[in-house]
Amino acid sequence: MICKLGFEVRESRDINSIVSQNGEVCWKAITDCVVYTQSAQALDYQESVRLLGPVCEVIHLHLSSLTEGQFEIQYVPWLQWTSSPELFAEIFDALESLQSPAVSLSLMKLTACLERALGDVFLLIGKECPFLLRDLLASEELAQVFGLPVMNVLRVFIGCPCGLNLRNILWHGFAAPHEIPPMYCSMMVVLTAGMGQLLKNYLQQSELSWAPRPLITLPELEGGAVFPEVTQEVLSVLEEVMKKSTFILRTMLPYWEVALIKFKSHRFADCAMLLLMQLETGLRHLFATINKCPQRLLTAESTALYTTFDEILAKHLNDGEINQLPLFLGEPAMEFLWDFLNHQQGPRVRDHLSHGEINLPEFPKGITDQLLAFSTVLLLRFVEEELASVFKEKAAIQSLVHLAEGYSARFHPMSLLRKQVLSCEESIRAWTLLPLLREAEEARLEGSSEINACNSLIIKITYELYHHIPENHCVFTDLDSLPIEKWPRPLRELCGIRVPTLFCPRDVLEVLTVLQNIVRCCTHVSHQVVASWVRRRQQWVEKTLRSRQRQNFVRMSCSIKLLSPVLLLILLLIALELVNIPVVHGKNTDEYQQYLKVERKECLHINFAVCCRDLAVC
């Protein structure tokens, strides 16, 4: 449909009947080309593409005849509604360059940008913007602003698998560079400008104000990064491996080459887009081969479910059989892909990019570094063994392979809970740095028997916990002679025990949510204690506390010695739950509900307001 159908009708169209000299779009000349079925209940996509072909062709010739200055005067003012008008100057340059990969990349960025802008228009009237583009284009809200005929034109180009489906075909890596006619990119530019004109008229008539959502800036990965910055040595190896790796389809090689050019020119978002698109292409081919389902290699056909990352990275195939790809790739590679694509607390790079949510110039280099490093290691698995050995002799590549083989999830809820526990423990450890008042020290010495009794009880409980530690993990040794300030050590060792996270069952995720809430409470208390203590001590020094407040402050200073080991014990219990959490999935329904009830009760019963009543000096 994309390569041929739009060229079947050979008809000369007058550009002046479609676009005026000042860039205003005559929508009737375009909407008249949209054909409906006999019942008029649906679009005839194929016939619409045929009739729209000559319109696209004359628009492409028109844009090609403009200088950059003329383009800016005639069209850029109408593109301001997209919040990224500078993007269209780049697209104009790409169309002039006649380089196929640049045109494909331009269409990817344009459709993402347009989707975001259409969502902003939807929110002028509606409340919750649809997640899927096809649902957004079919919404009554957009039809109310732009008119149904205009929305039907858009659906022919980007909104439905039955049409050209340009957005999905490109973002999911189905189309080789030469398979996308540049005239469709030109057409999308003019359609976007025309919609900007319609929006302006609607805003004037409705007296609504235009307030697009701000673009997001992805943070740097910090602790989420596993690979070092990509060096020139790694890039040189990748350039060679790309030519030899069977993971890359030969028709797709130009995308990889442009990805490296974009990285070297610091266009990190562009590089990431192309890498993600091509990783999906290669993994889909591998998925179909390993699972022996060659029919899943179909391009985005309107009559078949096409294979995307959702199916490729799933545990099961649609027929319920086990997906063999995760077994082939291995857990570390799967964890990386899930981290960067799927986990809600991860960067979810593809989602954010493809929906136009990201400020592209500020895209983090660190994320592109991770994708390039992962791609290098993955491609090496698909070159001849002798050649792969030569590349792996290089120290930089050796290091990447080692890091990739040891990769564990960074953004899975279980991994984040570990970080949360350790962060809370570090916060509680800071209590020991709070200097005690002389009066509090005297009171503490008087109440040392109470503190010792508390410590003794916690040691007994901890010994009981010892029996629940998995074999081969001895983290509790000689606790009765271990100073209290070193109690966090077993906690850190427990958090270091690796637990499988891939394809985590739903019931386990529910338990993790409850545990996260408990740790969140502990962390809140810790921060409140420190903040309250610092504030009250300053008032103590300045002698602005009333008598009762002074007594409460002394009591608070003493209570810290009791509260800190209790909080550490709670964290220890959570760390132990993490180590044993796989057994949750083995429980029957009644056992699981009872287990979850106990966990939730524990969360509710840790009523820190009561604990803090003596600590907060009001």
Side-chain angles (χ1 to χ4, degrees):
M1 180 181 277
I2 291 179
C3 300
K4 297 179 180 179
L5 200 57
F7 296 94
E8 287 185 357
V9 175
R10 307 310 299 174
E11 178 184 345
S12 179
R13 299 295 299 264
D14 180 11
I15 187 61
N16 294 316
S17 68
I18 301 168
V19 181
S20 70
Q21 290 186 352
N22 63 354
E24 290 189 26
V25 176
C26 176
W27 278 102
K28 190 174 186 307
I30 299 174
T31 57
D32 282 352
C33 295
V34 176
V35 181
Y36 297 84
T37 57
Q38 288 184 350
S39 63
Q41 296 297 312
L43 295 175
D44 184 335
Y45 288 95
Q46 292 210 356
E47 190 60 25
S48 297
V49 171
R50 288 180 71 252
L51 295 183
L52 282 165
V55 177
C56 296
E57 194 167 3
V58 73
I59 284 177
H60 180 60
L61 292 172
H62 164 64
L63 286 189
S64 301
S65 70
L66 298 179
T67 65
E68 188 173 345
Q70 290 171 325
F71 176 77
E72 289 180 2
I73 293 171
Q74 291 184 32
Y75 292 101
V76 170
W78 304 115
L79 297 167
Q80 299 295 322
W81 71 288
T82 65
S83 300
S84 302
E86 69 284 350
L87 171 62
F88 291 87
E90 295 178 18
I91 294 172
F92 182 77
D93 291 340
L95 287 168
E96 279 197 324
S97 74
L98 301 178
Q99 295 178 1
S100 298
V103 172
S104 296
L105 178 61
S106 293
L107 256 177
M108 290 173 70
K109 293 160 77 172
L110 190 158
T111 54
C113 171
L114 180 57
E115 179 178 349
R116 179 72 171 182
L118 289 172
D120 292 332
V121 174
F122 177 95
L123 293 172
L124 283 171
I125 307 170
K127 292 184 178 179
E128 189 172 343
C129 184
F131 178 74
L132 295 177
L133 178 60
R134 66 167 180 263
D135 296 334
L136 179 61
L137 296 181
S139 68
E140 293 181 4
E141 286 81 357
L142 291 189
Q144 185 177 330
V145 176
F146 298 111
L148 184 59
V150 171
M151 297 314 301
N152 284 338
V153 170
L154 217 54
R155 290 171 65 195
V156 169
F157 285 96
I158 61 173
C160 178
C162 299
L164 290 171
N165 203 17
L166 295 170
R167 187 258 189 203
N168 286 341
I169 282 176
L170 281 166
W171 275 101
H172 293 299
F174 287 107
H178 66 276
E179 292 176 326
I180 301 295
M183 70 178 190
Y184 290 136
C185 186
S186 296
M187 183 66 171
M188 288 303 303
V189 171
V190 171
L191 290 179
T192 305
M195 295 180 82
Q197 296 157 16
L198 295 175
L199 176 63
K200 181 182 178 182
N201 294 335
Y202 178 82
L203 293 174
Q204 288 174 344
Q205 294 169 10
S206 64
E207 297 184 350
L208 293 172
S209 56
W210 179 239
R213 295 162 291 174
L215 297 173
I216 66 173
T217 299
L218 289 180
E220 288 288 354
L221 291 173
E222 297 176 355
V226 65
F227 298 111
E229 286 190 23
V230 170
T231 61
Q232 183 56 48
E233 182 182 9
V234 172
L235 289 176
S236 299
V237 170
L238 183 53
E239 286 174 345
E240 291 300 314
V241 172
M242 286 179 346
K243 300 170 187 174
K244 306 291 184 182
S245 179
T246 56
F247 182 85
I248 297 177
L249 304 180
R250 293 304 93 189
T251 55
M252 300 294 189
L253 184 58
Y255 284 136
W256 288 88
E257 293 169 343
V258 172
L260 292 195
I261 291 171
K262 294 294 184 182
F263 182 80
K264 292 174 183 177
S265 57
H266 302 278
R267 303 296 297 269
F268 303 120
D270 290 357
C271 177
M273 287 180 190
L274 292 169
L275 287 177
L276 289 166
M277 176 241 280
Q278 283 308 297
L279 282 173
E280 185 166 356
T281 302
L283 288 172
R284 178 169 46 249
H285 192 274
L286 194 58
F287 169 91
T289 303
I290 290 175
N291 289 299
K292 298 178 182 177
C293 50
Q295 71 277 9
R296 300 307 299 271
L297 278 176
L298 286 171
T299 54
E301 299 286 345
S302 60
T303 56
L305 173 68
Y306 49 91
T307 305
T308 64
F309 270 135
D310 289 341
E311 291 76 35
I312 292 167
L313 301 183
K315 184 176 183 178
H316 295 98
L317 304 177
N318 289 335
D319 59 6
E321 293 293 319
I322 294 291
N323 179 6
Q324 298 299 314
L325 182 64
L327 300 175
F328 177 84
L329 288 179
E331 195 170 301
M334 288 294 296
E335 292 284 20
F336 178 91
L337 291 167
W338 269 81
D339 262 355
F340 279 79
L341 300 175
N342 289 358
H343 290 317
Q344 287 302 305
Q345 298 302 314
R348 290 175 49 232
V349 190
R350 223 280 292 282
D351 274 356
H352 288 310
L353 283 172
S354 64
H355 293 298
E357 300 168 358
I358 291 181
N359 187 346
L360 298 183
E362 296 182 18
F363 189 85
K365 176 180 180 292
I367 290 179
T368 311
D369 278 326
Q370 300 302 297
L371 293 172
L372 272 173
F374 174 80
S375 299
T376 303
V377 176
L378 183 62
L379 295 188
L380 273 171
R381 295 176 61 173
F382 297 89
V383 299
E384 292 180 3
E385 189 174 343
E386 187 176 341
L387 184 59
S389 299
V390 172
F391 287 128
K392 288 178 183 178
E393 287 177 0
K394 298 178 182 292
I397 302 303
Q398 214 172 62
S399 172
L400 292 185
V401 172
H402 176 72
L403 290 169
E405 290 173 348
Y407 189 91
S408 59
R410 264 59 174 173
F411 299 105
H412 188 279
M414 197 178 302
S415 309
L416 295 174
L417 179 56
R418 280 199 201 94
K419 289 171 66 175
Q420 203 179 344
V421 166
L422 294 175
S423 174
C424 184
E425 176 266 314
E426 188 176 348
S427 173
I428 296 169
R429 195 155 23 103
W431 294 9
T432 59
L433 302 177
L434 300 174
L436 278 178
L437 303 169
R438 179 175 55 81
E439 292 86 342
E441 182 63 28
E442 291 171 358
R444 187 183 68 81
L445 291 174
E446 290 174 7
S448 59
S449 59
E450 186 181 3
I451 294 173
N452 291 337
C454 176
N455 291 347
S456 177
L457 176 61
I458 289 176
I459 287 174
K460 288 179 181 177
I461 294 172
T462 307
Y463 270 127
E464 289 299 317
L465 296 178
Y466 180 85
H467 302 292
H468 299 278
I469 302 293
E471 294 181 10
N472 305 323
H473 293 289
C474 183
V475 296
F476 300 141
T477 56
D478 201 18
L479 273 180
D480 50 358
S481 63
L482 190 65
I484 188 170
E485 61 271 14
K486 292 188 178 179
W487 282 9
R489 190 173 68 196
L491 178 67
R492 290 192 288 271
E493 291 176 2
L494 271 177
C495 286
I497 296 175
R498 187 162 180 172
V499 180
T501 56
L502 192 61
F503 305 130
C504 210
R506 182 177 176 180
D507 45 11
V508 171
L509 294 175
E510 286 182 348
V511 172
L512 288 173
T513 300
V514 175
L515 296 179
Q516 284 177 328
N517 290 333
I518 296 174
V519 179
R520 201 172 290 118
C521 288
C522 291
T523 304
H524 178 70
V525 169
S526 179
H527 292 160
Q528 287 291 95
V529 165
V530 173
S532 180
W533 195 95
V534 169
R535 184 177 68 255
R536 292 311 189 194
R537 187 177 189 281
Q538 181 63 30
Q539 293 172 326
W540 177 286
V541 171
E542 295 170 354
K543 298 183 178 180
T544 57
L545 292 176
R546 294 190 298 273
S547 174
R548 174 125 187 180
Q549 289 176 323
R550 291 171 65 85
Q551 291 173 11
N552 284 345
F553 185 43
V554 170
R555 192 179 301 120
M556 170 188 178
S557 301
C558 296
S559 299
I560 284 176
K561 290 291 183 179
L562 288 171
L563 182 58
S564 60
V566 172
L567 289 177
L568 288 172
L569 178 61
I570 292 171
L571 295 180
L572 202 61
L573 283 165
I574 290 171
L576 189 57
E577 283 291 323
L578 271 176
V579 172
N580 289 291
I581 207 164
V583 304
V584 169
H585 190 53
K587 297 179 182 292
N588 61 41
T589 303
D590 291 338
E591 289 174 334
Y592 171 69
Q593 290 301 328
Q594 184 61 30
Y595 174 84
L596 201 58
K597 185 177 179 181
V598 170
E599 292 290 346
R600 284 174 175 155
K601 257 186 189 175
E602 182 181 344
C603 184
L604 292 172
H605 288 172
I606 301 175
N607 190 339
F608 288 111
V610 175
C611 294
C612 293
R613 191 169 295 161
D614 291 333
L615 298 173
V617 186
C618 302

